[in-house]
Amino acid sequence: MLNVTDLHAAYGNIKVLNGVTLSVPGGSIATILGRNGSGRSSTCKAVMGLLPPMRGQVTLKGKELAGLPAHEISRAGIGYVPEDRQVFKNLSVEENFKIGIQPAKAGRAAWTVDELLDVFPRLRERRHIKAGFLSGGEQQMLTLFRTLLTNPDVMLIDEPTEGLAPKVVEALAEVILEMKRRGLALLLLEQKLAMVMRLTDRVFVMGRGEIVFSGSVADFQADDAVRRTWLEVS
Amino acid sequence: MKTVLYIGAAIAAAALLALPIFGDLGTMNLVIKIMIAAIFALGFNLLWGQAGLPSFGHAAYYGIGTFATIYMMNAIDRGGWFPTPLLPLVGAGAGFAFGLVAGWFATIRSGVYFAMITVALAELVSAIALKWEGLFGGEAGIRSIRTDWGPFSFQSTTSVYWLTLIWMLLVMAFLFGLQRSPFGLVVRGIRERELRVRFLGYDTHRVKTLVFAISAAVSGLAGGLLAISDESASMVLFQGSGSAFVVLNTVIGGAGVFLGPVIGAALTTSFAYFGANLSHFWMLYLGIAFVVTVMYAPQGIGGAIAQRARAVKAGEKAAFGTGDLIGIVAFALTFLGLIFLIEITGTICSEQYRASIASAKGVWPPVRLLGYDFNPLSPLPWLIGLLSLGAGIAIVVAQPHLRRPRLLDLVTTKAEAGK
């Protein structure tokens, strides 16, 4: 579904992506691992059009997206939850939901506010208060749900579990699996291995702006060298 | 709390309906000017309060609306078919058209850069109006007359009053609905976090351009009503003070409350109307009122009322406590002191006063203030001024809840909103 081919990008003179190639089929979860500065977040930004790609393709269901402005990429079906999730603080929780709602793509059931609130009922109790008053974890879930209500085909989630209480992580895992069941392509970016290892179908490891490993969870766990070279901090 | 709101609305409605029966011509003209200023400020606040875009050049769209309407009035006078009651729509259309172009350029940037572009565009329009006498009539301006339409006569001030009132209510309903619509939600989202709104699939530049144009259209509509009321337009409309006054009205009334700009427009317009008769220095007092509002109620009078209403509802504060009484006494004393010092200093420094000293052969005539004659050479009026000012400030300093100026809060909230 989402295909990235030979993607190059730079901040000014500093090259951050050196030919990233990856693909995520519908109904599957892929995770990009890598240390800080390895190019994980830059890959997402380049896909979203925030970091203009110098070379390479980004296609969603065959449609070329590279070079389009962010809102058109979103309309094409990519939902993006950035690392610094920010809610609309002075809008109510309910308004935060409403602002994002888009009709579902053909052949897929639309997400509804109600079913998402069933997964994380704390937001239901607080739906009339301003989102700025929510706790950190609640704000993260709200941002995720808001993006999901745009009914995307692909979800890019930067550091989904960062700073979440264990109970919230459980709710999050449930939503992620439900997204997979509904045929979405998920791309998670993580530093930590713990939670995603039991969800993900495929692992990519990034280093110096390139994909240095790609394989199944079993392949990844068998490959000590990759972990030592590209992930563990010595 | 809701009951209080309904009672207030009922009183306001009754007063507006009864005014043409009981009010004199002067009062009716004042209320017409207030309603026009209120519409202008509501339009401005759509951009500032809702979208978080501070335009400092909104007089341009107001003036364009006035001139467009005057030209249409002349066309009607020459036998055009356009219905007089719909004339404000001509102003709105002109404002919208210019707003689309100006807004497209201005909203490429946010915050201070946006504000600077709006100032530059307004200065450009002002300069053109000054030079292009053929179109804008030079210093004399352009005159026109109201034409009757069907059975409706528009010659009396009362008819202009009703027309302005109806248009004000229409604009309020329109803007209130817009604020609650999905479009209004996206606009508020842009004020909060523009980039996130783009991630949700909205072309934010297009939305900002449109909201700018709608704001300019409402301003132009207000200008159109001014053309109907005054039957004239002049390039003075384009000067910076027009842009400043709408900001003043919105800040004093409160940008975060729907009717805040209306409160501000009512206060400053009345103040200008009465103050200009009472003192030469009324603008200085208005400036002081602005500074005090920004320091002690940065959310504006409307915002302060709304905040208090919420606190009362939550049981945190009384509707009116001793603290408020002390505050009012302190501000009254401070203002009394300021009035004495400003009026006497201002008067004895004026050329007119110098001339009267000369004609009285060196004797300083008394200065009339609040109905009494004061000798500016005696210490009495100065002492009253200084003591009153000192006492007022002393109370403010001694009261912890009055002491803290919140100027920085305002700057930071506006800066955040501008991001």
Side-chain angles (χ1 to χ4, degrees):
Chain A
M1 188 179 270
L2 177 70
N3 284 294
V4 175
T5 317
D6 194 28
L7 193 64
H8 292 253
Y11 287 107
N13 290 328
I14 304 160
K15 198 100 187 283
V16 287
L17 298 181
N18 298 306
V20 174
T21 300
L22 57 85
S23 72
V24 190
S28 77
I29 303 174
T31 302
I32 305 183
L33 299 169
R35 293 192 189 115
N36 273 336
S38 57
R40 287 170 307 148
S41 293
S42 300
T43 305
C44 264
K45 285 182 183 152
V47 169
M48 278 314 288
L50 295 181
L51 180 63
M54 295 156 63
R55 211 167 83 204
Q57 279 106 45
V58 177
T59 59
L60 174 65
K61 296 192 285 192
K63 188 186 179 221
E64 178 64 56
L65 300 181
L68 294 180
H71 65 270
E72 283 183 28
I73 292 174
S74 163
R75 289 267 162 172
I78 300 191
Y80 174 40
V81 184
E83 199 175 0
D84 55 336
R85 311 174 170 76
Q86 283 158 341
V87 295
F88 300 111
K89 282 188 188 159
N90 287 313
L91 303 188
S92 71
V93 170
E94 197 154 32
E95 286 176 325
N96 266 275
F97 282 132
K98 275 191 195 159
I99 193 170
I101 296 176
Q102 301 283 342
K105 306 279 182 302
R108 183 170 292 149
W111 296 90
T112 65
V113 176
D114 259 336
E115 64 181 331
L116 292 173
L117 288 178
D118 285 340
V119 181
F120 196 64
R122 231 183 312 165
L123 284 178
R124 174 171 284 140
E125 298 154 22
R126 324 195 73 183
R127 67 183 180 279
H128 295 301
I129 68 166
K130 284 186 180 178
F133 291 118
L134 297 179
S135 73
E138 289 163 350
Q139 291 195 11
Q140 292 201 24
M141 290 302 267
L142 178 57
T143 320
L144 183 79
F145 289 174
R146 184 180 70 199
T147 311
L148 209 44
L149 286 167
T150 65
N151 282 300
D153 290 317
V154 176
M155 280 286 273
L156 310 178
I157 313 177
D158 201 343
E159 305 253 3
T161 60
E162 177 77 18
L164 291 186
K167 238 187 147 169
V168 185
V169 173
E170 281 314 304
L172 178 74
E174 200 181 313
V175 183
I176 287 178
L177 287 173
E178 178 61 26
M179 290 188 230
K180 178 183 166 176
R181 269 196 293 278
R182 295 204 190 176
L184 269 74
L186 282 108
L187 186 59
L188 314 178
L189 310 188
E190 271 293 350
Q191 260 183 302
K192 282 167 292 187
L193 312 178
M195 174 234 181
V196 292
M197 279 305 125
R198 63 191 173 85
L199 297 178
T200 197
D201 302 303
R202 198 171 176 81
V203 177
F204 297 101
V205 178
M206 280 194 80
R208 295 190 198 124
E210 282 173 275
I211 302 284
V212 291
F213 170 88
S214 138
S216 67
V217 177
D219 292 341
F220 172 72
Q221 276 162 345
D223 197 334
D224 280 342
V226 164
R227 278 213 302 278
R228 264 203 311 277
T229 319
W230 297 106
L231 296 175
E232 283 159 17
V233 183
S234 50
Chain B
M1 213 57 234
K2 275 259 156 64
T3 341
V4 177
L5 195 70
Y6 290 140
I7 292 171
I11 291 174
L16 285 170
L17 288 175
L19 188 75
I21 304 167
F22 299 107
D24 56 32
L25 216 59
T27 316
M28 214 137 66
N29 263 320
L30 170 65
V31 178
I32 290 171
K33 289 285 153 25
I34 288 176
M35 291 191 289
I36 293 173
I39 296 170
F40 186 18
L42 282 168
F44 168 81
N45 197 40
L46 170 67
L47 202 55
W48 193 18
Q50 295 296 303
L53 295 167
S55 161
F56 295 134
H58 246 49
Y61 315 102
Y62 182 66
I64 285 168
T66 314
F67 272 97
T69 308
I70 283 286
Y71 271 97
M72 184 55 95
M73 284 164 77
N74 280 334
I76 297 172
D77 190 32
R78 286 193 302 267
W81 56 271
F82 201 85
T84 302
L86 298 184
L87 272 173
L89 288 180
V90 175
F96 187 83
F98 277 83
L100 268 187
V101 178
W104 191 88
F105 283 108
T107 56
I108 293 174
R109 295 268 168 261
S110 300
V112 176
Y113 302 102
F114 168 81
M116 296 319 290
I117 297 171
T118 59
V119 172
L121 289 170
E123 285 302 310
L124 181 74
V125 174
S126 178
I128 292 172
L130 182 69
K131 296 280 176 204
W132 194 348
E133 284 200 21
L135 191 65
F136 293 97
E139 286 199 13
I142 300 181
R143 304 202 60 81
S144 184
I145 50 160
R146 295 188 290 267
T147 310
D148 296 341
W149 181 68
F152 299 100
S153 161
F154 288 99
Q155 302 315 312
S156 66
T157 306
T158 316
S159 63
V160 176
Y161 174 84
W162 289 120
L163 187 69
T164 313
L165 179 61
I166 289 169
W167 275 106
M168 181 178 76
L169 294 175
L170 287 175
V171 166
M172 281 181 177
F174 168 71
L175 288 175
F176 194 72
L178 189 75
Q179 195 172 321
R180 304 218 147 185
S181 70
F183 177 76
L185 190 56
V186 173
V187 168
R188 274 181 292 153
I190 289 176
R191 178 188 69 195
E192 302 280 315
R193 297 280 168 206
E194 184 177 343
L195 195 56
R196 294 295 173 277
V197 178
R198 272 165 55 198
F199 290 157
L200 296 174
Y202 297 99
D203 183 345
T204 53
H205 185 211
R206 193 185 287 181
V207 174
K208 287 194 291 182
T209 304
L210 187 58
V211 80
F212 190 105
I214 295 173
S215 166
V218 174
S219 307
L221 190 147
L225 286 165
L226 182 77
I228 295 171
S229 154
D230 286 3
E231 300 181 300
S232 72
S234 97
M235 58 168 199
V236 176
L237 290 168
F238 292 108
Q239 286 173 359
S241 62
S243 299
F245 255 97
V246 75
V247 176
L248 204 74
N249 288 343
T250 308
V251 169
I252 288 180
V257 184
F258 182 73
L259 289 180
V262 179
I263 297 173
L267 287 177
T268 60
T269 312
S270 315
F271 193 82
Y273 181 81
F274 295 111
N277 290 332
L278 294 174
S279 166
H280 291 298
F281 314 107
W282 66 274
M283 245 190 192
L284 179 60
Y285 295 116
L286 200 57
I288 293 171
F290 175 76
V291 172
V292 169
T293 312
V294 169
M295 280 172 75
Y296 288 97
Q299 71 283 56
I301 292 169
I305 293 172
Q307 202 177 43
R308 175 58 64 94
R310 274 195 298 273
V312 170
K313 203 176 166 192
E316 290 160 3
K317 269 186 180 169
F320 191 86
T322 24
D324 302 310
L325 190 66
I326 295 172
I328 289 173
V329 170
F331 283 124
L333 282 172
T334 313
F335 267 102
L336 183 72
L338 282 173
I339 289 171
F340 266 85
L341 297 179
I342 290 170
E343 290 298 324
I344 295 179
T345 316
T347 308
I348 60 176
C349 290
S350 68
E351 267 182 43
Q352 203 184 1
Y353 192 78
R354 293 273 139 209
S356 55
I357 294 175
S359 63
K361 299 195 172 65
V363 180
W364 289 42
V367 176
R368 197 158 177 83
L369 189 56
L370 304 174
Y372 294 94
D373 283 333
F374 289 96
N375 177 4
L377 292 178
S378 97
L380 179 70
W382 301 99
L383 270 179
I384 295 175
L386 287 173
L387 285 177
S388 175
L389 181 68
I393 292 176
I395 298 175
V396 170
V397 171
Q399 292 288 319
H401 73 283
L402 294 176
R403 194 166 47 209
R404 190 163 52 94
R406 304 205 187 93
L407 183 63
L408 278 176
D409 287 1
L410 176 82
V411 174
T412 45
T413 44
K414 285 300 162 210
E416 260 175 29
K419 258 183 208 163

